[in-house]
C-alpha cells in the first residue's frame, strides 16, 4: 500500500489547490499542494510528486471537513479536470481569485492602481457556450486533470442547457469513431449547437465562453478607451472588444491569426481585419496614421512573452497613448503589466472579472497610459 499522511489544509492557492505543510518525517514544514481540498479540512493525502521545497499530493480521504465546504453539484467533481472549486461557496472562490491577482502583482513589484473594479459572475452555473468533450465507444466526458484518462459524464453543470440537451445524441454520434475522439460543442448566439469533431481548440475562432460576463468585459473596455484617430485591437479575434468602439474611432485595425474569413455587412468600412501574426503585422509598419492612437492587447494565456519588446516599441512608435491589457493567466498578465510600468507607462486602473466560475481562472484587465 502507498504511504499516506494526515495534514490540515490552511489555505487555498490561487492556482486552485489547497495548501498545507508536510508532516512526513524529514520533510516537516515543506509546502504541500492538495487539489479538491478546502482551508480547515483535515485530510489523508498521498504524495505523488515532490521536490525539496514543495510537494504535490492527492486527496485520499476527508477526515474532518472544513466548515467552508459545500456539496459539489456534479458527481464527477474531483475526478473530472474541468472544475477545481465546486466544493467551495462562490463568494469564497471570487475572494481567492481577486486577492490572488493582487498578491501576484505585489510579487512582481507593481503597485495596484487606486481604482480596481471587480465584476464577479451572477450566472455561476450553466454558463459555458462552448465545451470540449472527449469520448471513446459509448462513453463521453472529459479528461482527468493532467491525464488522458476519460471521466464519463452524462451532462456538464458548467455547460449551457442547450448543450446538455444534445449530450446523449452527440455521444451516440461519437460511436462512429473507433479511436478516442474530441468533440467541441458550441452554442451559437442564434441558439444552435454545432459539433466540431477532432478539430483544434476553438474550431470556429476564439469566443469568450461566458456570454453575460463577456458583455460586461466589452462594456468596461469600451468605457476606458478614449476616442482616438486609430485603435489597434491586437490578438483581436473577431473584434469582440473593438466592435463596440466603432463610433468613437477614426479607424480600427483588428489583427489576429484567425480573423473572420468574411467581413459581415454590418461592420463599418473604417473597421479593418488583418489575418496575420501581431508581430509580423507591426513589423510591416502597417496601420500607421497621424494623431493619437489607442490599443487593446488580448494575447493567449502565455501573455506577450518574447514578443513584448517588438510590440512595446511599435506601440510607442504608433503614438499609442492608452493601452488596455487583457489576460486570462494572472502571472503572465502581471509580468506584462510590470514590463509596461518599467518602460514608463502609468498603470491607471484595473478590473478583474470572473469568466469562469467553479474554476480557479480569472480574467485581468488593466488600463495603462503614456
Ligand atoms: C484570448 S484570445 C482573444 C480574442 C479576442 N480579443 C476576444 O475577446 O474574443 C487570443 C487570440 O490571440 C490569437 N493569437 C494567438 N497568437 C497570435 C499571434 N501570434 N498573432 C496574432 N494572433 C494570435 C488567437 O487566434 C486568439 O483569437
Amino acid at each position: 500500500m502507498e504511504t499516506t499522511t494526515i495534514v490540515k489544509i490552511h489555505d487555498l492557492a490561487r492556482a486552485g489547490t489547497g495548501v498545507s505543510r508536510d508532516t512526513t518525517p524529514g520533510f516537516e514544514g515543506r509546502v504541500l499542494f492538495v487539489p479538491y481540498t478546502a482551508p480547515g479540512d483535515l485530510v489523508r493525502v498521498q504524495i505523488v510528486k515532490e521536490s525539496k521545497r514543495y510537494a504535490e499530493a492527492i486527496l485520499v480521504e476527508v477526515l474532518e471537513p472544513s466548515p467552508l465546504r459545500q456539496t459539489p453539484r456534479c458527481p464527477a467533481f474531483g475526478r473530472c479536470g474541468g472544475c477545481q472549486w465546486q466544493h467551495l461557496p462562490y463568494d469564497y472562490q471570487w475572494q481567492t481569485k481577486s486577492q490572488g491577482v493582487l498578491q501576484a502583482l505585489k510579487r512582481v513589484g507593481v503597485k495596484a492602481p487606486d481604482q480596481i473594479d471587480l465584476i464577479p459572475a451572477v450566472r455561476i452555473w450553466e454558463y459555458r457556450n462552448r465545451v470540449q468533450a472527449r469520448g471513446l465507444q459509448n462513453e463521453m466526458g472529459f479528461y482527468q486533470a493532467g491525464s488522458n484518462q476519460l471521466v464519463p459524464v452524462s451532462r456538464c453543470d458548467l455547460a449551457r442547457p442547450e448543450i446538455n440537451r444534445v449530450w446523449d445524441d452527440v455521444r451516440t454520434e461519437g460511436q462512429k469513431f473507433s479511436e478516442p475522439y474530441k468533440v467541441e460543442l458550441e452554442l451559437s448566439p442564434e441558439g444552435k449547437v454545432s459539433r466540431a469533431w477532432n478539430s483544434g481548440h476553438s474550431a470556429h475562432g476564439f469566443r469568450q465562453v461566458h456570454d453575460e460576463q463577456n458583455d460586461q468585459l466589452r462594456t468596461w473596455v469600451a468605457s476606458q478607451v478614449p476616442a482616438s484617430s486609430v485603435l489597434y485591437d491586437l490578438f483581436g479575434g473577431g473584434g469582440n472588444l473593438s466592435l463596440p468602439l466603432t463610433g468613437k474611432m477614426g479607424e480600427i485595425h483588428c489583427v489576429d491569426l484567425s480573423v473572420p474569413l468574411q467581413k459581415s455587412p454590418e461592420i463599418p468600412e473604417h473597421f479593418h481585419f488583418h489575418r496575420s501574426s501581431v508581430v509580423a503585422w507591426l513589423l510591416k509598419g502597417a496601420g500607421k496614421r497621424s494623431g493619437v492612437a489607442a490599443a487593446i492587447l488580448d494575447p493567449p494565456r502565455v501573455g506577450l512573452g518574447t514578443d513584448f519588446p517588438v510590440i512595446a516599441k511599435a506601440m510607442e512608435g504608433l503614438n499609442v497613448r492608452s493601452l488596455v491589457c487583457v489576460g486570462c493567466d494572472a502571472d503572465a498578465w502581471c509580468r506584462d503589466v510590470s514590463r509596461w510600468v518599467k518602460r514608463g507607462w502609468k498603470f491607471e486602473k484595473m478590473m478583474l472579472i470572473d469568466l469562469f466560475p467553479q474554476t480557479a481562472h480569472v480574467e485581468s484587465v488593466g488600463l495603462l497610459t503614456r
Side-chain angles (χ1 to χ4, degrees):
M1 208 183 92
E2 301 284 351
T3 325
T4 60
T5 174
I6 293 175
V7 294
K8 185 99 178 169
I9 302 295
H10 60 76
D11 203 358
L12 185 64
R14 177 167 52 83
T17 67
V19 184
S20 181
R21 294 277 171 191
D22 199 352
T23 53
T24 313
F27 294 101
E28 293 93 342
R30 176 172 67 168
V31 178
L32 199 59
F33 296 106
V34 194
Y36 311 118
T37 57
D41 277 347
L42 184 70
V43 288
R44 184 188 300 282
V45 303
Q46 182 190 326
I47 293 175
V48 287
K49 200 171 164 190
E50 55 188 331
S51 70
K52 262 196 189 140
R53 286 178 37 243
Y54 72 92
E56 291 168 24
I58 49 170
L59 174 64
V60 176
E61 190 186 0
V62 178
L63 300 169
E64 281 171 27
S66 155
L68 276 173
R69 272 189 177 267
Q70 64 177 20
T71 307
R73 192 161 136 168
C74 173
F77 178 72
R79 292 177 293 120
C80 169
C83 298
Q84 295 86 47
W85 284 351
Q86 286 195 21
H87 63 308
L88 290 163
Y90 181 67
D91 287 353
Y92 194 81
Q93 297 180 18
W94 176 243
Q95 195 191 319
T96 306
K97 292 187 194 196
S98 42
Q99 289 303 316
V101 180
L102 295 175
Q103 279 162 13
L105 263 182
K106 231 187 212 169
R107 264 204 301 279
V108 293
V110 173
K111 187 179 170 310
D114 292 336
Q115 186 179 332
I116 305 176
D117 294 334
L118 299 175
I119 312 186
V122 175
R123 188 203 273 252
I124 61 170
W125 296 104
E126 301 182 352
Y127 63 84
R128 283 194 75 104
N129 55 35
R130 175 163 46 88
V131 298
Q132 272 138 21
R134 307 282 177 158
L136 179 61
Q137 290 153 5
N138 60 350
E139 293 190 313
M140 194 170 91
F142 299 99
Y143 281 163
Q144 255 180 16
S147 104
N148 285 357
Q149 184 75 38
L150 181 66
V151 178
V153 294
S154 55
R155 52 172 281 113
C156 169
D157 281 300
L158 297 200
R160 292 281 293 268
E162 295 89 336
I163 292 179
N164 280 317
R165 278 201 281 276
V166 298
W167 197 270
D168 286 342
D169 293 344
V170 176
R171 180 176 41 205
T172 306
E173 288 166 39
Q175 292 184 27
K176 65 187 173 192
F177 297 101
S178 52
E179 301 277 305
Y181 65 86
K182 175 168 128 185
V183 58
E184 183 168 276
L185 303 174
E186 180 165 348
L187 175 66
S188 73
E190 296 75 38
K192 211 172 153 277
V193 179
S194 63
R195 293 109 157 112
W197 300 96
N198 292 327
S199 62
H201 188 64
S202 298
H204 305 288
F206 180 86
R207 177 176 163 212
Q208 294 289 2
V209 295
H210 194 314
D211 289 333
E212 288 94 340
Q213 289 300 88
N214 184 46
D215 288 345
Q216 301 258 23
L217 170 66
R218 298 176 88 196
T219 304
W220 193 90
V221 170
S223 70
Q224 302 305 320
V225 183
S228 308
S229 64
V230 193
L231 171 67
Y232 302 99
D233 184 6
L234 306 180
F235 309 94
N240 178 45
L241 299 176
S242 50
L243 281 169
L245 284 156
T246 50
K248 61 180 193 183
M249 300 293 160
E251 61 186 68
I252 297 180
H253 295 280
C254 177
V255 185
D256 195 289
L257 288 172
S258 66
V259 296
L261 286 170
Q262 267 188 335
K263 186 171 158 181
S264 61
E266 65 272 17
I267 298 181
E269 245 176 54
H270 68 291
F271 190 106
H272 307 279
F273 281 117
H274 307 276
R275 181 175 285 255
S276 167
S277 104
V278 164
V279 164
W281 190 78
L282 291 171
L283 287 175
K284 266 196 321 209
K288 183 154 179 134
R289 296 288 175 276
S290 58
V292 169
I296 300 169
L297 297 176
D298 186 8
R301 290 196 75 72
V302 287
L304 297 178
T306 51
D307 292 343
F308 181 85
V310 175
I311 294 176
K313 200 163 165 234
M315 293 298 93
E316 289 153 11
L318 290 166
N319 202 18
V320 170
R321 302 287 180 89
S322 305
L323 201 59
V324 171
C325 295
V326 185
C328 61
D329 178 89
D331 290 313
W333 179 81
C334 289
R335 195 169 48 242
D336 285 346
V337 169
S338 81
R339 295 201 278 184
W340 290 112
V341 170
K342 277 187 199 126
R343 273 184 92 92
W345 289 71
K346 184 165 180 238
F347 190 16
E348 298 266 4
K349 290 179 196 170
M350 68 183 269
M351 187 272 272
L352 302 174
I353 181 165
D354 198 359
L355 297 172
F356 316 98
Q358 317 306 332
T359 79
H361 301 293
V362 58
E363 196 85 357
S364 311
V365 192
L367 172 70
L368 293 117
T369 59
R370 186 171 70 98

